[in-house]
Structures are given as C-alpha cells and as structure tokens.
Amino acid sequence: VALGLYFPRKEYLENVYIDEPAGMPLLRIHALKDSHDEVAHFHLCQNLVISRARSHENNWFQIREKTGLLYLSKSLDREDFNMLSVGNWMPLSKVMLYVFLSSHPFQEKECDSATRTTVFLSLINATAPPCSSLTARQLCFTEMDLSFHIKENKPPGTFHQLQLPSVHHLCQNLSISYKLLAAEGVPFRYNESTSSVRVTQRLDREERERYELIAKCTVREGFREMQVEVPFLVNVLDEDDSPPFLPNGTDTADAVVEFNRKEGTVLSTLTVYDADTTPIYPLESSRKKYTGTIITDDPWISETFRVEHIFDEIHFSPNGSQVRGTRHEY
C-alpha cells in the first residue's frame, strides 16, 4: 500500500540549551493527508546522528505519537553535552534525528520503509538566555525559512504552527501574537487560538504553483511593542493529472514532400503543450513520456523520414500567476 501521509517540510531546525527541564517542548511537526480518513502517527526510530560518522543512543528526545510535539524527555546536562559534542571545547554540537510517519500505530520494523523528515538540533553549551535578552526575531521565529511543500489535489489540513513551543513555555510574561498577511481569496487560514496555519482547500498546481505570504509577529512586554515580518512561502507539488493539449486541437500533421529536398529538411511540425509537467533530467526520461510516430505501411517511408522531438520549458499564466509547463515540438 502506498503511504499517503507526507511532511510539508523536508527538514526542521531547533536549538537545545543545557539544563532545560525534562518535558520542555521543542518543536511541533505536522503531516498532511493523502485521503480524508488517514490518521497521522509520529515516531522516533533511530539513534541520534552526531556529525556524519557517529551515532548515539537517543536518551533525551521524544515525540508525541498523535500530535507530533518533539520534547525533552530528559534534561541535557554538561556531561551529556560533552559526550554528544565532537570535542569539549565546542560551543555548539549539531545532532540529527529522524521523525517517521505512519497512518497507524508504529511497529519498530517499519522504520526503514516509512516516510521520514529530518530534525537538526543545535546543542548549545550554555543555559537558555533570559527572554528579555532575545530580539523579536528570536522570540517569534526559528532560524529555518518558512517554506512549505503541499501536494495538489489533497485534502485540507494544518501544516504549521507559528508559535514556538519552547519560547511559549519559557517566556510566559511576554505577549506574542501572529498574523498571516495574504491577498484576498488565498486558500490559507491562521487560527489565533492554536497559532496554526491550515490549507483550506485542495490546491491545483496548473492554476497556481507558488503562494507568497507574510507572517507578522508582534511582541508586547509591558508598554513596549516590537514587530517583525518574514516571508511565508508555499510551493504546490505536481501530480500528473492533466492531459497534454494541442494548440489547435489536431494531433496529426500532413507533410507534402517535393523532389530534391536536402537531408535534414523540416517538412512538417506538430506542437503539443503539457501544463502538468516540466522537463525532467536526464532528458531521455522526458523524451520517453511522449513519442512521435509516422503512420505508414511503406518501409521506404519509414527508412527515409524520421520524427525529431525537441522540448523546452515554457510558462503559462492562468489567473495572472506563472505556472511552468513544457512545449513539445515534433
């Protein structure tokens, strides 16, 4: 059975400081559905990966199976940091975790076959800085870009939470609120009570391939107010769901051949557009998708003439937004 659930991000980034308490929430990971009746289950399977060469048993991090909340299951002390860093002098150590996704509760053996995303954790050899010393940017957003991939034709769903669980946990005397700035009619909604962002309808890549929104955050502390805005981008992933089309509706072309034509003379052309896919590399794989054929019973015609296929990327502009596609020339 093809696994339909998928992650809207390829990777997540977060900082972890020494001596943060067990139970500390670090980040929330989301999954989107392929069909309405799926239920997402999250799981950490493997060890921590430290640099490229080494791995270590994961004693510190856990994920809530049903909500995707990654949290500290054990406080990370200085001794732990020294063990997980390449050398004791390092101010920071990067470790990697894999979060796996399944539509039913996990069996350990599934870890190799399931869909996964990567979480990069920066372990910082210092205690968490006081909230008053952080900039609005640090209080509102992590270092990762707010850039997401949503498949076309899939059910609506929540794919991001703007509020940072760790900041919300540590900085309770600050008021931090968000807004999603977008043009009218854009199919995304921000929920103030949960700080989550949802895609509200099925998307169609042939109508629009990319949405550019802005996430705005306001931090209030007493009478002081700070604001910060960052880009919030959604790319729509293609599904091969639209047939190729012909500009004038005909799928054959007649060729009139006169005597003394030189080899290489173009006798006739036929153009086919495909709004659904863009040229893929290696080029042969794009070429194999469509073939041009001369229909004849005459072996001399088959030996004397050939169909050449060239193609290039073009842009269509439905509703004023640019969508990539392919023009095939035969």
Side-chain angles (χ1 to χ4, degrees):
V1 181
L3 186 71
L5 290 162
Y6 68 98
F7 290 105
R9 291 186 67 90
K10 290 189 175 71
E11 57 188 48
Y12 292 81
L13 313 173
E14 192 48 80
N15 293 334
V16 181
Y17 293 90
I18 282 176
D19 295 335
E20 287 182 314
M24 169 84 173
L26 297 174
L27 66 94
R28 191 180 290 279
I29 291 171
H30 290 87
L32 285 169
K33 299 179 183 185
D34 194 61
S35 59
H36 276 291
D37 49 0
E38 285 177 316
V39 177
H41 295 265
F42 300 91
H43 194 68
L44 293 175
C45 286
Q46 293 161 327
N47 293 342
L48 293 172
V49 181
I50 312 160
S51 68
R52 301 215 162 187
R54 297 166 51 215
S55 70
H56 194 287
E57 193 180 345
N58 172 24
N59 298 318
W60 300 274
F61 306 102
Q62 261 317 320
I63 195 163
R64 299 213 186 284
E65 185 188 348
K66 293 190 174 165
T67 64
L69 182 71
L70 187 75
Y71 64 96
L72 270 175
S73 53
K74 173 182 178 293
S75 184
L76 182 85
D77 61 27
R78 214 163 284 275
E79 204 176 305
D80 296 330
F81 177 87
N82 291 342
M83 183 168 54
L84 291 172
S85 62
V86 184
N88 296 356
W89 52 272
M90 299 278 283
L92 178 146
S93 177
K94 278 219 163 142
V95 301
M96 206 161 74
L97 274 173
Y98 293 118
V99 176
F100 291 79
L101 186 56
S102 174
S103 53
H104 51 81
F106 251 88
Q107 312 296 317
E108 198 68 26
K109 64 181 187 304
E110 292 179 290
C111 286
D112 294 334
S113 57
T115 303
R116 75 178 190 188
T117 189
T118 310
V119 177
F120 293 96
L121 298 171
S122 295
L123 310 184
I124 297 167
N125 193 4
T127 53
C131 298
S132 56
S133 72
L134 297 174
T135 63
R137 178 77 174 75
Q138 291 168 313
L139 289 164
C140 292
F141 303 107
T142 62
E143 290 157 35
M144 59 187 175
D145 294 338
L146 293 183
S147 179
F148 307 90
H149 303 276
I150 298 180
K151 293 180 181 179
E152 68 170 338
N153 305 321
K154 302 303 178 199
T158 297
F159 63 95
H160 184 62
Q161 183 180 23
L162 281 168
Q163 182 189 72
L164 305 180
S166 55
V167 170
H168 182 65
H169 187 80
L170 293 171
C171 307
Q172 292 175 352
N173 60 335
L174 293 179
S175 160
I176 301 173
S177 59
Y178 295 89
K179 272 200 174 99
L180 198 59
L181 309 179
E184 277 295 307
V186 166
F188 305 101
R189 289 288 168 275
Y190 172 64
N191 181 328
E192 278 186 34
S193 60
T194 60
S195 90
S196 58
V197 184
R198 177 178 175 79
V199 55
T200 58
Q201 65 188 55
R202 291 172 185 262
L203 303 180
D204 181 354
R205 193 203 70 92
E206 287 72 65
E207 287 294 318
R208 187 154 177 185
E209 193 170 12
R210 184 177 165 88
Y211 293 87
E212 298 182 17
L213 299 85
I214 288 171
K216 178 180 179 178
C217 176
T218 304
V219 181
R220 291 183 189 86
E221 186 180 17
F223 296 110
R224 213 158 64 98
E225 186 176 290
M226 299 177 286
Q227 292 187 334
V228 61
E229 294 181 358
V230 298
F232 188 103
L233 307 174
V234 178
N235 295 290
V236 185
L237 295 181
D238 193 61
E239 193 174 59
D240 209 349
D241 64 335
S242 302
F245 62 95
L246 300 133
N248 57 3
T250 175
D251 64 352
T252 53
D254 295 329
V256 176
V257 187
E258 296 173 357
F259 284 105
N260 298 329
R261 298 290 94 184
K262 288 197 173 109
E263 187 179 336
T265 301
V266 176
L267 303 170
S268 184
T269 59
L270 184 66
T271 303
V272 181
Y273 289 109
D274 189 347
D276 205 35
T277 56
T278 55
I280 44 178
Y281 296 90
L283 288 176
E284 274 316 302
S285 50
S286 267
R287 196 166 271 121
K288 281 176 191 157
K289 279 193 77 171
Y290 304 110
T291 55
T293 309
I294 300 172
I295 301 169
T296 179
D297 296 330
D298 187 333
W300 178 80
I301 290 178
S302 302
E303 287 164 19
T304 312
F305 302 97
R306 73 166 187 269
V307 178
E308 265 191 20
H309 177 195
I310 55 172
F311 52 90
D312 56 353
E313 183 174 295
I314 56 167
H315 289 94
F316 299 96
S317 296
N319 307 328
S321 70
Q322 281 209 333
V323 172
R324 292 171 304 144
T326 310
R327 176 175 51 209
H328 297 267
E329 298 264 19
Y330 295 95

